[in-house]
Amino acid sequence: MPIIVEPQDYHEEDLYVDLEETFGRRLYLKCEGFNFAGSIKLKVAREMVAAVERSGRLRPGSILVESSSGNLGVALSILAASRGYTFVCVTDTRCNLATKQLMESLGTRVYTVVEPALDGGFLGARLRYVRELCESDDRYLWLNQYANPANWQAHYRWTAPAVAERFPDLGVLFVGAGTTGTLMGCARYFTEHRPEATVVAVDAVGSVAFGGPPLTRMIPGLGTGVRPPLLDESYIDDVIHVPEADTIRACHRLARKGFLFGGSTGTVISGAMRWLAEHPAYADLTAVAIAPDLGERYLDSVYQRGWVQEIYGPGALDLECEEQTQHDPDRTVRGAGRAHP
């Protein structure tokens, strides 16, 4: 058992769930939620803060600021509290109350944007507010997870090598797309070290990351209203888009087996299951998906029956629909840049 001094020193890197019993198809789920931040974003927070510390830009009196829908805000709150830094998180109304309270309990100042921007939605509005803060006071230091190479470098350094070590015969890796930090770190690593492995990006319907039309999205985490500056599609083999109702069903199917995962995980699993069903050549290959977080922070949304039925309709919790959509040829699947020999 490890003995640690700072909360960011612990992260369980080698825990996987075999989903074959739950979904009828073998898929190993890499669980990234077992640390004090409860998500994969602790790695990003560590790498970005370390980068500004090395650069000398973090001076006495500096105020760290970041836009986040929840998980990175929590991770940075923990890191800031541990290091004695002041941190401001700019979020929006999709961030649930428990997450805001958690950040505030750690000493973070939380600003909530209540109106989406005409261009860029809630993310665009959050970014505008962050820029206004930085222009108003030079003490603000924006970490900028959306364009900061430390975001993808964290996963190039830790996440992808852990998967490669655990599964030397990896056939396909499914990674959710938000800022695309996890996606690009893993895709770059496997392109360079295991080019025979296929990397599939899983995005939410309504996200503009891969050129789709912007639509309202209610589940925070994956998807974006602004094309991610970190994204380089040449490293990615394929892209699949998942409707939020399918995300809900995947989460509830897992919960019926005793596994409570977050909305991003539901999206990734739903997309992975459908992609595997549509690519039978991969049936006997090792498939892995990355689960960014656990489900406790989604109790008042994804796992709240009234909320789900109000937004997605009474059929949203019909788990048979989730199985059917895995085989629906009309769902979006699009090839991307990287080709295998």
Side-chain angles (χ1 to χ4, degrees), residues 178-198:
T179 65
T180 67
T182 308
L183 174 63
M184 292 312 305
C186 291
R188 287 174 182 268
Y189 180 90
F190 282 100
T191 296
E192 294 174 15
H193 300 279
R194 299 277 183 83
E196 69 278 6
T198 296

Side-chain angles (χ1 to χ4, degrees), residues 32-33 38-40 71 220 260-265 291-295 297-298:
E32 291 280 353
S39 82
I40 197 170
N71 283 337
L260 200 71
F261 284 101
S264 297
T265 298
D293 60 2
L294 301 178
R297 294 172 193 165
Y298 300 81

